[in-house]
Amino acid sequence: MKVLFEFLKNPFYRVAGYTSLVWGVVGMVVATAIAFCGGVHYHGLLHFGGAPNGAWWCFVVEHLVVWLVPAVLIYVSALFCSRSHVRPVDVLGTVAFAQLPFVLLSLLMAIPPIREITSVQTVEEVELLLSDMGRLLLVVWIGLLSLLLTIWVLYWMFRAISVACNLKGRNLWLVFIIGAFGGDVLCRYLIGFCY
Amino acid sequence: MTNRESKKRLPLRCPACDAQLKVSKMVCVQCGTEVSGEFDLPVLTRLNEEEQHFMLEFVKASGSLKDMAKKMGVSYPTVRNYLDDLIEKLNNMAEE
């Protein structure tokens, strides 16, 4: 139990490089398949929901962009901030592994009643939703669970940067902010071309 | 009376003020000759037990980080980070 907890706290202490890359890519393929079946779009690293383009390639592009853009930003900024030799495979692998909770997130968002709620767009539909206490509670739960899963991804990304780039303190936070939040902005811009 | 052997550890820091300790006396256990003076401890002996063990294993693994990672059951960057931190510590010691 303690070993599992330690692993969940920082999986990159034991897993990095090609092993993490294989696990991350497998997770990405599964998450993409679930997202395609459930119509769950990733508009950015931290944004998800419905979107007008339902083509299969759009889901593939979204997942690739959400993985590669933060990874490249982290790698480039780590070249300036880290005193260690940073291997691209460690950054790509650990960032992909850190996004494994997206499988659970896609699964959660693909559940039919949740899909119905997340596809609400008109004012009438929103008013109807607010008047139904049961559905309103479901919205709160979806929000909390998706927030927790997103925090999990961010936490693992933070750990991934710390191990893959050997960063601590201010430099670690700087690279994390560039990778996660700068990555989200850039992802949203790039994915916007798909719609 | 028990005849238990206790493993003595080389003290590296002064227990009173935490300053770096130096060697002031060396003894030949065979003939009893004593040498007095003030000598610095070699850099490697100033590392803690865990770091010295890592250094030994690293040399035995012919300096292969991959082999070290396998032996320690940790990821490659974890070993590399440990080594980088150790190099930085050694550099700081050399500057002292």
Side-chain angles (χ1 to χ4, degrees):
Chain A
M1 196 66 188
K2 197 186 166 194
V3 175
L4 178 71
F5 181 70
E6 286 297 320
F7 181 80
L8 290 175
K9 222 167 77 177
N10 186 6
F12 312 110
Y13 181 74
R14 297 194 185 279
V15 182
Y18 289 103
T19 316
S20 60
L21 187 62
V22 169
W23 277 103
V25 169
V26 168
M28 207 180 308
V29 170
V30 174
T32 308
I34 296 169
F36 175 65
C37 295
V40 183
H41 285 271
Y42 284 77
H43 311 131
L45 179 63
L46 309 170
H47 293 81
F48 32 83
N53 193 346
W56 67 268
W57 59 264
C58 184
F59 294 91
V60 175
V61 169
E62 283 171 7
H63 280 83
L64 281 176
V65 168
V66 162
W67 167 44
L68 290 172
V69 167
V72 170
L73 284 177
I74 288 165
Y75 179 69
V76 173
S77 44
L79 289 179
F80 294 99
C81 295
S82 176
R83 277 172 292 172
S84 290
H85 168 69
V86 182
R87 298 191 310 172
V89 68
D90 285 327
V91 178
L92 286 169
T94 53
V95 169
F97 195 99
Q99 292 184 356
L100 278 179
F102 278 158
V103 175
L104 295 176
L105 190 64
S106 298
L107 209 58
L108 175 77
M109 303 302 274
I111 297 170
I114 296 173
R115 258 175 81 181
E116 201 184 306
I117 290 170
T118 51
S119 61
V120 164
Q121 287 193 343
T122 61
V123 181
E124 290 80 25
E125 282 176 318
V126 174
E127 277 173 3
L128 197 69
L129 181 72
L130 291 173
S131 62
D132 186 345
M133 201 57 187
R135 290 180 79 194
L136 198 63
L137 272 174
L138 191 63
V139 172
V140 173
W141 273 109
I142 300 163
L144 274 174
L145 279 173
S146 51
L147 183 69
L148 273 177
L149 289 167
T150 311
I151 290 171
W152 186 2
V153 170
L154 288 175
Y155 176 72
W156 270 9
M157 272 184 72
F158 186 79
R159 291 290 182 188
I161 296 166
S162 141
V163 174
C165 311
N166 192 19
L167 289 170
K168 293 177 191 82
R170 205 175 49 181
N171 281 353
L172 172 59
W173 278 101
L174 180 70
V175 173
F176 173 70
I177 289 165
I178 292 171
F181 300 104
D184 181 53
V185 173
L186 195 54
C187 282
R188 289 180 76 182
Y189 174 73
L190 292 171
I191 291 170
F193 288 109
C194 293
Y195 310 135
Chain B
M1 194 178 157
T2 55
N3 194 17
R4 224 174 34 181
E5 265 186 47
S6 59
K7 193 186 168 194
K8 281 187 186 173
R9 276 190 204 158
L10 179 70
L12 302 171
R13 296 254 162 208
C14 169
C17 72
D18 205 37
Q20 184 79 53
L21 288 174
K22 295 200 173 202
V23 179
S24 65
K25 197 166 98 175
M26 283 181 283
V27 183
C28 171
V29 287
Q30 209 172 324
C31 68
T33 302
E34 289 185 2
V35 181
S36 291
E38 197 178 286
F39 309 99
D40 281 327
L41 281 166
V43 174
L44 288 178
T45 58
R46 281 191 249 161
L47 297 173
N48 66 37
E49 218 170 319
E50 188 196 316
E51 290 162 344
Q52 285 183 22
H53 178 72
F54 177 85
M55 294 292 280
L56 272 175
E57 292 299 320
F58 186 60
V59 173
K60 282 184 196 168
S62 307
S64 165
L65 287 174
K66 264 185 196 166
D67 289 351
M68 283 297 287
K70 255 187 213 165
K71 204 180 269 186
M72 293 166 71
V74 298
S75 65
Y76 177 92
T78 301
V79 182
R80 187 209 54 212
N81 296 348
Y82 191 87
L83 182 67
D84 285 349
D85 292 346
L86 208 53
I87 291 168
E88 199 183 333
K89 191 175 175 180
L90 289 170
N91 286 338
N92 289 340
M93 279 178 178
E95 281 171 18
E96 274 175 13

